[in-house]
PDB file of all heavy atoms in Angstrom:
ATOM      1  N   GLY A  20      -1.428  -3.121  24.964  1.00  0.00           N
ATOM      2  CA  GLY A  20      -2.501  -2.164  25.195  1.00  0.00           C
ATOM      3  C   GLY A  20      -2.090  -0.714  25.011  1.00  0.00           C
ATOM      4  O   GLY A  20      -2.886   0.194  25.225  1.00  0.00           O
ATOM      5  N   ARG A  23      -4.061   1.420  20.134  1.00  0.00           N
ATOM      6  CA  ARG A  23      -5.264   0.820  19.590  1.00  0.00           C
ATOM      7  C   ARG A  23      -5.121   0.729  18.079  1.00  0.00           C
ATOM      8  O   ARG A  23      -5.051   1.751  17.386  1.00  0.00           O
ATOM      9  CB  ARG A  23      -6.505   1.636  19.964  1.00  0.00           C
ATOM     10  CG  ARG A  23      -7.758   0.952  19.466  1.00  0.00           C
ATOM     11  CD  ARG A  23      -9.043   1.606  19.870  1.00  0.00           C
ATOM     12  NE  ARG A  23     -10.139   0.915  19.200  1.00  0.00           N
ATOM     13  CZ  ARG A  23     -11.391   1.314  19.196  1.00  0.00           C
ATOM     14  NH1 ARG A  23     -11.730   2.402  19.846  1.00  0.00           N
ATOM     15  NH2 ARG A  23     -12.318   0.638  18.556  1.00  0.00           N
ATOM     16  N   GLU A  24      -5.084  -0.501  17.607  1.00  0.00           N
ATOM     17  CA  GLU A  24      -4.820  -0.807  16.212  1.00  0.00           C
ATOM     18  C   GLU A  24      -5.966  -0.318  15.324  1.00  0.00           C
ATOM     19  O   GLU A  24      -7.124  -0.491  15.661  1.00  0.00           O
ATOM     20  CB  GLU A  24      -4.718  -2.338  16.129  1.00  0.00           C
ATOM     21  CG  GLU A  24      -3.799  -2.854  15.087  1.00  0.00           C
ATOM     22  CD  GLU A  24      -4.367  -2.684  13.711  1.00  0.00           C
ATOM     23  OE1 GLU A  24      -5.493  -3.126  13.464  1.00  0.00           O
ATOM     24  OE2 GLU A  24      -3.665  -2.087  12.887  1.00  0.00           O
ATOM     25  N   HIS A  28      -8.920  -2.555  10.653  1.00  0.00           N
ATOM     26  CA  HIS A  28     -10.265  -2.051  10.343  1.00  0.00           C
ATOM     27  C   HIS A  28     -10.278  -1.332   8.995  1.00  0.00           C
ATOM     28  O   HIS A  28     -11.185  -1.528   8.173  1.00  0.00           O
ATOM     29  CB  HIS A  28     -10.716  -1.117  11.458  1.00  0.00           C
ATOM     30  CG  HIS A  28     -12.011  -0.434  11.189  1.00  0.00           C
ATOM     31  ND1 HIS A  28     -13.188  -1.121  11.002  1.00  0.00           N
ATOM     32  CD2 HIS A  28     -12.311   0.878  11.039  1.00  0.00           C
ATOM     33  CE1 HIS A  28     -14.159  -0.255  10.767  1.00  0.00           C
ATOM     34  NE2 HIS A  28     -13.651   0.952  10.773  1.00  0.00           N
ATOM     35  N   ILE A  44      -8.081 -11.683  10.987  1.00  0.00           N
ATOM     36  CA  ILE A  44      -7.090 -10.675  11.358  1.00  0.00           C
ATOM     37  C   ILE A  44      -6.339 -11.263  12.549  1.00  0.00           C
ATOM     38  O   ILE A  44      -6.965 -11.783  13.483  1.00  0.00           O
ATOM     39  CB  ILE A  44      -7.732  -9.336  11.772  1.00  0.00           C
ATOM     40  CG1 ILE A  44      -8.596  -8.762  10.636  1.00  0.00           C
ATOM     41  CG2 ILE A  44      -6.672  -8.332  12.195  1.00  0.00           C
ATOM     42  CD1 ILE A  44      -9.408  -7.526  11.055  1.00  0.00           C
ATOM     43  N   VAL A  46      -3.093 -10.524  15.384  1.00  0.00           N
ATOM     44  CA  VAL A  46      -2.086  -9.612  15.936  1.00  0.00           C
ATOM     45  C   VAL A  46      -1.066 -10.433  16.703  1.00  0.00           C
ATOM     46  O   VAL A  46      -1.442 -11.234  17.570  1.00  0.00           O
ATOM     47  CB  VAL A  46      -2.725  -8.590  16.908  1.00  0.00           C
ATOM     48  CG1 VAL A  46      -1.672  -7.596  17.395  1.00  0.00           C
ATOM     49  CG2 VAL A  46      -3.897  -7.870  16.277  1.00  0.00           C
ATOM     50  N   PRO A  76      13.373   1.452  10.823  1.00  0.00           N
ATOM     51  CA  PRO A  76      14.832   1.414  10.913  1.00  0.00           C
ATOM     52  C   PRO A  76      15.389   0.887  12.234  1.00  0.00           C
ATOM     53  O   PRO A  76      16.605   0.806  12.376  1.00  0.00           O
ATOM     54  CB  PRO A  76      15.200   2.898  10.758  1.00  0.00           C
ATOM     55  CG  PRO A  76      14.052   3.616  11.393  1.00  0.00           C
ATOM     56  CD  PRO A  76      12.829   2.792  11.095  1.00  0.00           C
ATOM     57  N   THR A  77      14.553   0.536  13.208  1.00  0.00           N
ATOM     58  CA  THR A  77      15.091   0.221  14.540  1.00  0.00           C
ATOM     59  C   THR A  77      15.170  -1.283  14.798  1.00  0.00           C
ATOM     60  O   THR A  77      14.651  -2.097  14.035  1.00  0.00           O
ATOM     61  CB  THR A  77      14.254   0.911  15.642  1.00  0.00           C
ATOM     62  OG1 THR A  77      12.893   0.568  15.471  1.00  0.00           O
ATOM     63  CG2 THR A  77      14.416   2.421  15.558  1.00  0.00           C
ATOM     64  N   HIS A  78      15.812  -1.632  15.912  1.00  0.00           N
ATOM     65  CA  HIS A  78      16.122  -3.034  16.228  1.00  0.00           C
ATOM     66  C   HIS A  78      14.855  -3.893  16.353  1.00  0.00           C
ATOM     67  O   HIS A  78      14.905  -5.109  16.188  1.00  0.00           O
ATOM     68  CB  HIS A  78      16.890  -3.107  17.550  1.00  0.00           C
ATOM     69  CG  HIS A  78      16.043  -2.723  18.728  1.00  0.00           C
ATOM     70  ND1 HIS A  78      15.806  -1.402  19.089  1.00  0.00           N
ATOM     71  CD2 HIS A  78      15.320  -3.470  19.591  1.00  0.00           C
ATOM     72  CE1 HIS A  78      15.001  -1.376  20.130  1.00  0.00           C
ATOM     73  NE2 HIS A  78      14.682  -2.596  20.460  1.00  0.00           N
ATOM     74  N   ASP A  79      13.715  -3.258  16.693  1.00  0.00           N
ATOM     75  CA  ASP A  79      12.486  -4.032  16.864  1.00  0.00           C
ATOM     76  C   ASP A  79      11.723  -4.197  15.544  1.00  0.00           C
ATOM     77  O   ASP A  79      10.614  -4.750  15.540  1.00  0.00           O
ATOM     78  CB  ASP A  79      11.585  -3.403  17.948  1.00  0.00           C
ATOM     79  CG  ASP A  79      11.253  -1.944  17.676  1.00  0.00           C
ATOM     80  OD1 ASP A  79      12.085  -1.249  17.057  1.00  0.00           O
ATOM     81  OD2 ASP A  79      10.173  -1.482  18.080  1.00  0.00           O
ATOM     82  N   ASN A 116      22.046   7.021   6.929  1.00  0.00           N
ATOM     83  CA  ASN A 116      22.862   6.266   7.898  1.00  0.00           C
ATOM     84  C   ASN A 116      22.525   4.776   7.872  1.00  0.00           C
ATOM     85  O   ASN A 116      21.670   4.315   7.109  1.00  0.00           O
ATOM     86  CB  ASN A 116      22.688   6.857   9.309  1.00  0.00           C
ATOM     87  CG  ASN A 116      21.241   6.768   9.805  1.00  0.00           C
ATOM     88  OD1 ASN A 116      20.425   6.052   9.234  1.00  0.00           O
ATOM     89  ND2 ASN A 116      20.940   7.503  10.857  1.00  0.00           N
ATOM     90  N   ARG A 119      18.858   3.749   8.462  1.00  0.00           N
ATOM     91  CA  ARG A 119      17.997   3.940   7.278  1.00  0.00           C
ATOM     92  C   ARG A 119      18.291   2.893   6.210  1.00  0.00           C
ATOM     93  O   ARG A 119      17.390   2.467   5.487  1.00  0.00           O
ATOM     94  CB  ARG A 119      18.168   5.361   6.730  1.00  0.00           C
ATOM     95  CG  ARG A 119      17.595   6.415   7.695  1.00  0.00           C
ATOM     96  CD  ARG A 119      17.453   7.791   7.053  1.00  0.00           C
ATOM     97  NE  ARG A 119      16.585   8.635   7.880  1.00  0.00           N
ATOM     98  CZ  ARG A 119      16.996   9.707   8.568  1.00  0.00           C
ATOM     99  NH1 ARG A 119      18.258  10.100   8.499  1.00  0.00           N
ATOM    100  NH2 ARG A 119      16.154  10.389   9.307  1.00  0.00           N
ATOM    101  N   GLU A 185     -33.062  -7.187  20.659  1.00  0.00           N
ATOM    102  CA  GLU A 185     -32.565  -8.210  19.731  1.00  0.00           C
ATOM    103  C   GLU A 185     -33.393  -9.497  19.851  1.00  0.00           C
ATOM    104  O   GLU A 185     -33.711 -10.149  18.852  1.00  0.00           O
ATOM    105  CB  GLU A 185     -31.092  -8.478  20.066  1.00  0.00           C
ATOM    106  CG  GLU A 185     -30.303  -9.066  18.929  1.00  0.00           C
ATOM    107  CD  GLU A 185     -28.856  -9.334  19.314  1.00  0.00           C
ATOM    108  OE1 GLU A 185     -28.501  -9.242  20.508  1.00  0.00           O
ATOM    109  OE2 GLU A 185     -28.071  -9.659  18.408  1.00  0.00           O
ATOM    110  N   ALA A 186     -33.742  -9.856  21.093  1.00  0.00           N
ATOM    111  CA  ALA A 186     -34.458 -11.113  21.302  1.00  0.00           C
ATOM    112  C   ALA A 186     -35.871 -11.076  20.708  1.00  0.00           C
ATOM    113  O   ALA A 186     -36.446 -12.113  20.399  1.00  0.00           O
ATOM    114  CB  ALA A 186     -34.530 -11.435  22.797  1.00  0.00           C
ATOM    115  N   MET A 204     -26.495 -12.520   7.361  1.00  0.00           N
ATOM    116  CA  MET A 204     -27.323 -11.571   8.117  1.00  0.00           C
ATOM    117  C   MET A 204     -26.861 -11.524   9.560  1.00  0.00           C
ATOM    118  O   MET A 204     -26.659 -12.565  10.191  1.00  0.00           O
ATOM    119  CB  MET A 204     -28.798 -11.975   8.058  1.00  0.00           C
ATOM    120  CG  MET A 204     -29.316 -12.067   6.626  1.00  0.00           C
ATOM    121  SD  MET A 204     -31.128 -12.098   6.545  1.00  0.00           S
ATOM    122  CE  MET A 204     -31.346 -12.592   4.812  1.00  0.00           C
ATOM    123  N   GLY A 205     -26.698 -10.317  10.073  1.00  0.00           N
ATOM    124  CA  GLY A 205     -26.242 -10.159  11.448  1.00  0.00           C
ATOM    125  C   GLY A 205     -27.087  -9.131  12.180  1.00  0.00           C
ATOM    126  O   GLY A 205     -27.618  -8.197  11.567  1.00  0.00           O
ATOM    127  N   SER A 206     -27.228  -9.304  13.503  1.00  0.00           N
ATOM    128  CA  SER A 206     -27.996  -8.346  14.292  1.00  0.00           C
ATOM    129  C   SER A 206     -27.105  -7.752  15.377  1.00  0.00           C
ATOM    130  O   SER A 206     -26.338  -8.464  16.015  1.00  0.00           O
ATOM    131  CB  SER A 206     -29.206  -9.032  14.920  1.00  0.00           C
ATOM    132  OG  SER A 206     -28.804 -10.018  15.838  1.00  0.00           O
TER     133      SER A 206
ATOM    134  N   GLY B  30     -15.491  -4.807   7.944  1.00  0.00           N
ATOM    135  CA  GLY B  30     -15.166  -3.394   8.092  1.00  0.00           C
ATOM    136  C   GLY B  30     -16.305  -2.560   8.655  1.00  0.00           C
ATOM    137  O   GLY B  30     -16.177  -1.341   8.783  1.00  0.00           O
ATOM    138  N   ARG B  33     -15.450  -1.189  14.115  1.00  0.00           N
ATOM    139  CA  ARG B  33     -14.066  -1.130  14.562  1.00  0.00           C
ATOM    140  C   ARG B  33     -13.994  -1.710  15.962  1.00  0.00           C
ATOM    141  O   ARG B  33     -14.547  -1.173  16.912  1.00  0.00           O
ATOM    142  CB  ARG B  33     -13.542   0.304  14.568  1.00  0.00           C
ATOM    143  CG  ARG B  33     -12.067   0.306  14.935  1.00  0.00           C
ATOM    144  CD  ARG B  33     -11.422   1.671  14.883  1.00  0.00           C
ATOM    145  NE  ARG B  33     -10.070   1.555  15.431  1.00  0.00           N
ATOM    146  CZ  ARG B  33      -9.267   2.567  15.653  1.00  0.00           C
ATOM    147  NH1 ARG B  33      -9.649   3.791  15.358  1.00  0.00           N
ATOM    148  NH2 ARG B  33      -8.062   2.363  16.159  1.00  0.00           N
ATOM    149  N   GLU B  34     -13.300  -2.839  16.060  1.00  0.00           N
ATOM    150  CA  GLU B  34     -13.203  -3.634  17.274  1.00  0.00           C
ATOM    151  C   GLU B  34     -12.446  -2.858  18.362  1.00  0.00           C
ATOM    152  O   GLU B  34     -11.417  -2.251  18.096  1.00  0.00           O
ATOM    153  CB  GLU B  34     -12.422  -4.906  16.895  1.00  0.00           C
ATOM    154  CG  GLU B  34     -12.776  -6.126  17.651  1.00  0.00           C
ATOM    155  CD  GLU B  34     -12.267  -6.070  19.056  1.00  0.00           C
ATOM    156  OE1 GLU B  34     -11.082  -5.838  19.267  1.00  0.00           O
ATOM    157  OE2 GLU B  34     -13.100  -6.242  19.964  1.00  0.00           O
ATOM    158  N   HIS B  38      -8.336  -4.305  22.438  1.00  0.00           N
ATOM    159  CA  HIS B  38      -7.491  -3.244  22.999  1.00  0.00           C
ATOM    160  C   HIS B  38      -7.759  -3.066  24.495  1.00  0.00           C
ATOM    161  O   HIS B  38      -6.827  -2.953  25.309  1.00  0.00           O
ATOM    162  CB  HIS B  38      -7.756  -1.942  22.252  1.00  0.00           C
ATOM    163  CG  HIS B  38      -7.044  -0.762  22.824  1.00  0.00           C
ATOM    164  ND1 HIS B  38      -5.674  -0.676  22.892  1.00  0.00           N
ATOM    165  CD2 HIS B  38      -7.515   0.375  23.378  1.00  0.00           C
ATOM    166  CE1 HIS B  38      -5.334   0.467  23.454  1.00  0.00           C
ATOM    167  NE2 HIS B  38      -6.432   1.119  23.761  1.00  0.00           N
ATOM    168  N   ILE B  54      -3.940 -11.753  19.395  1.00  0.00           N
ATOM    169  CA  ILE B  54      -5.355 -11.411  19.228  1.00  0.00           C
ATOM    170  C   ILE B  54      -5.748 -11.943  17.848  1.00  0.00           C
ATOM    171  O   ILE B  54      -5.018 -11.723  16.878  1.00  0.00           O
ATOM    172  CB  ILE B  54      -5.608  -9.890  19.285  1.00  0.00           C
ATOM    173  CG1 ILE B  54      -5.119  -9.296  20.613  1.00  0.00           C
ATOM    174  CG2 ILE B  54      -7.094  -9.582  19.070  1.00  0.00           C
ATOM    175  CD1 ILE B  54      -5.164  -7.770  20.655  1.00  0.00           C
ATOM    176  N   VAL B  56      -9.098 -12.383  15.081  1.00  0.00           N
ATOM    177  CA  VAL B  56     -10.478 -12.070  14.715  1.00  0.00           C
ATOM    178  C   VAL B  56     -10.925 -13.056  13.652  1.00  0.00           C
ATOM    179  O   VAL B  56     -10.241 -13.214  12.638  1.00  0.00           O
ATOM    180  CB  VAL B  56     -10.611 -10.636  14.149  1.00  0.00           C
ATOM    181  CG1 VAL B  56     -12.081 -10.313  13.864  1.00  0.00           C
ATOM    182  CG2 VAL B  56      -9.995  -9.608  15.071  1.00  0.00           C
ATOM    183  N   PRO B  86     -28.947 -13.662  21.370  1.00  0.00           N
ATOM    184  CA  PRO B  86     -30.131 -14.487  21.133  1.00  0.00           C
ATOM    185  C   PRO B  86     -30.417 -14.827  19.671  1.00  0.00           C
ATOM    186  O   PRO B  86     -31.387 -15.541  19.407  1.00  0.00           O
ATOM    187  CB  PRO B  86     -31.255 -13.596  21.677  1.00  0.00           C
ATOM    188  CG  PRO B  86     -30.790 -12.208  21.392  1.00  0.00           C
ATOM    189  CD  PRO B  86     -29.286 -12.242  21.540  1.00  0.00           C
ATOM    190  N   THR B  87     -29.616 -14.335  18.722  1.00  0.00           N
ATOM    191  CA  THR B  87     -30.007 -14.503  17.316  1.00  0.00           C
ATOM    192  C   THR B  87     -29.245 -15.635  16.623  1.00  0.00           C
ATOM    193  O   THR B  87     -28.298 -16.192  17.160  1.00  0.00           O
ATOM    194  CB  THR B  87     -29.820 -13.177  16.538  1.00  0.00           C
ATOM    195  OG1 THR B  87     -28.501 -12.701  16.743  1.00  0.00           O
ATOM    196  CG2 THR B  87     -30.818 -12.139  17.010  1.00  0.00           C
ATOM    197  N   HIS B  88     -29.691 -15.947  15.389  1.00  0.00           N
ATOM    198  CA  HIS B  88     -29.168 -17.104  14.661  1.00  0.00           C
ATOM    199  C   HIS B  88     -27.675 -17.027  14.398  1.00  0.00           C
ATOM    200  O   HIS B  88     -27.017 -18.045  14.200  1.00  0.00           O
ATOM    201  CB  HIS B  88     -29.902 -17.219  13.310  1.00  0.00           C
ATOM    202  CG  HIS B  88     -29.525 -16.100  12.372  1.00  0.00           C
ATOM    203  ND1 HIS B  88     -30.127 -14.865  12.433  1.00  0.00           N
ATOM    204  CD2 HIS B  88     -28.579 -16.002  11.408  1.00  0.00           C
ATOM    205  CE1 HIS B  88     -29.593 -14.070  11.524  1.00  0.00           C
ATOM    206  NE2 HIS B  88     -28.645 -14.732  10.893  1.00  0.00           N
ATOM    207  N   ASP B  89     -27.118 -15.786  14.373  1.00  0.00           N
ATOM    208  CA  ASP B  89     -25.687 -15.646  14.098  1.00  0.00           C
ATOM    209  C   ASP B  89     -24.844 -15.736  15.375  1.00  0.00           C
ATOM    210  O   ASP B  89     -23.631 -15.543  15.332  1.00  0.00           O
ATOM    211  CB  ASP B  89     -25.396 -14.346  13.331  1.00  0.00           C
ATOM    212  CG  ASP B  89     -25.924 -13.105  14.039  1.00  0.00           C
ATOM    213  OD1 ASP B  89     -26.933 -13.216  14.768  1.00  0.00           O
ATOM    214  OD2 ASP B  89     -25.342 -12.024  13.881  1.00  0.00           O
ATOM    215  N   ASN B 126     -38.844 -15.337  25.886  1.00  0.00           N
ATOM    216  CA  ASN B 126     -39.176 -16.098  24.679  1.00  0.00           C
ATOM    217  C   ASN B 126     -38.064 -17.082  24.308  1.00  0.00           C
ATOM    218  O   ASN B 126     -37.044 -17.192  24.998  1.00  0.00           O
ATOM    219  CB  ASN B 126     -39.498 -15.147  23.514  1.00  0.00           C
ATOM    220  CG  ASN B 126     -38.294 -14.258  23.158  1.00  0.00           C
ATOM    221  OD1 ASN B 126     -37.179 -14.516  23.590  1.00  0.00           O
ATOM    222  ND2 ASN B 126     -38.544 -13.217  22.385  1.00  0.00           N
ATOM    223  N   ARG B 129     -34.533 -15.660  23.774  1.00  0.00           N
ATOM    224  CA  ARG B 129     -33.823 -15.368  25.031  1.00  0.00           C
ATOM    225  C   ARG B 129     -33.376 -16.658  25.714  1.00  0.00           C
ATOM    226  O   ARG B 129     -32.328 -16.685  26.362  1.00  0.00           O
ATOM    227  CB  ARG B 129     -34.710 -14.523  25.949  1.00  0.00           C
ATOM    228  CG  ARG B 129     -34.908 -13.108  25.410  1.00  0.00           C
ATOM    229  CD  ARG B 129     -35.509 -12.142  26.436  1.00  0.00           C
ATOM    230  NE  ARG B 129     -35.360 -10.775  25.981  1.00  0.00           N
ATOM    231  CZ  ARG B 129     -36.352  -9.972  25.580  1.00  0.00           C
ATOM    232  NH1 ARG B 129     -37.602 -10.409  25.609  1.00  0.00           N
ATOM    233  NH2 ARG B 129     -36.105  -8.749  25.167  1.00  0.00           N
ATOM    234  N   GLU B 195      13.158   8.567  13.766  1.00  0.00           N
ATOM    235  CA  GLU B 195      13.429   7.233  14.308  1.00  0.00           C
ATOM    236  C   GLU B 195      14.823   6.744  13.891  1.00  0.00           C
ATOM    237  O   GLU B 195      15.545   6.138  14.695  1.00  0.00           O
ATOM    238  CB  GLU B 195      12.344   6.280  13.774  1.00  0.00           C
ATOM    239  CG  GLU B 195      12.138   5.049  14.608  1.00  0.00           C
ATOM    240  CD  GLU B 195      11.065   4.136  14.033  1.00  0.00           C
ATOM    241  OE1 GLU B 195      10.616   4.358  12.889  1.00  0.00           O
ATOM    242  OE2 GLU B 195      10.692   3.184  14.742  1.00  0.00           O
ATOM    243  N   ALA B 196      15.190   7.013  12.643  1.00  0.00           N
ATOM    244  CA  ALA B 196      16.471   6.501  12.140  1.00  0.00           C
ATOM    245  C   ALA B 196      17.657   7.158  12.847  1.00  0.00           C
ATOM    246  O   ALA B 196      18.745   6.585  12.903  1.00  0.00           O
ATOM    247  CB  ALA B 196      16.571   6.727  10.628  1.00  0.00           C
ATOM    248  N   MET B 214      12.018  -3.112  24.283  1.00  0.00           N
ATOM    249  CA  MET B 214      12.094  -1.693  23.917  1.00  0.00           C
ATOM    250  C   MET B 214      11.545  -1.499  22.512  1.00  0.00           C
ATOM    251  O   MET B 214      11.899  -2.235  21.594  1.00  0.00           O
ATOM    252  CB  MET B 214      13.535  -1.198  23.999  1.00  0.00           C
ATOM    253  CG  MET B 214      14.153  -1.379  25.383  1.00  0.00           C
ATOM    254  SD  MET B 214      15.666  -0.423  25.595  1.00  0.00           S
ATOM    255  CE  MET B 214      16.280  -1.169  27.134  1.00  0.00           C
ATOM    256  N   GLY B 215      10.699  -0.495  22.357  1.00  0.00           N
ATOM    257  CA  GLY B 215      10.102  -0.235  21.050  1.00  0.00           C
ATOM    258  C   GLY B 215      10.145   1.247  20.732  1.00  0.00           C
ATOM    259  O   GLY B 215      10.108   2.096  21.634  1.00  0.00           O
ATOM    260  N   SER B 216      10.242   1.571  19.445  1.00  0.00           N
ATOM    261  CA  SER B 216      10.256   2.985  19.038  1.00  0.00           C
ATOM    262  C   SER B 216       9.097   3.249  18.091  1.00  0.00           C
ATOM    263  O   SER B 216       8.806   2.441  17.205  1.00  0.00           O
ATOM    264  CB  SER B 216      11.581   3.321  18.357  1.00  0.00           C
ATOM    265  OG  SER B 216      11.724   2.588  17.162  1.00  0.00           O
TER     266      SER B 216
END
Side-chain angles (χ1 to χ4, degrees):
Chain A
R23 184 175 174 188
E24 211 287 307
H28 174 61
I44 301 172
V46 184
T77 54
H78 68 279
D79 56 330
N116 62 14
R119 292 193 165 112
E185 203 181 10
M204 302 195 193
S206 64
Chain B
R33 184 176 172 187
E34 211 287 307
H38 174 62
I54 302 172
V56 184
T87 52
H88 69 277
D89 55 331
N126 61 14
R129 291 193 166 111
E195 203 180 10
M214 302 195 192
S216 64

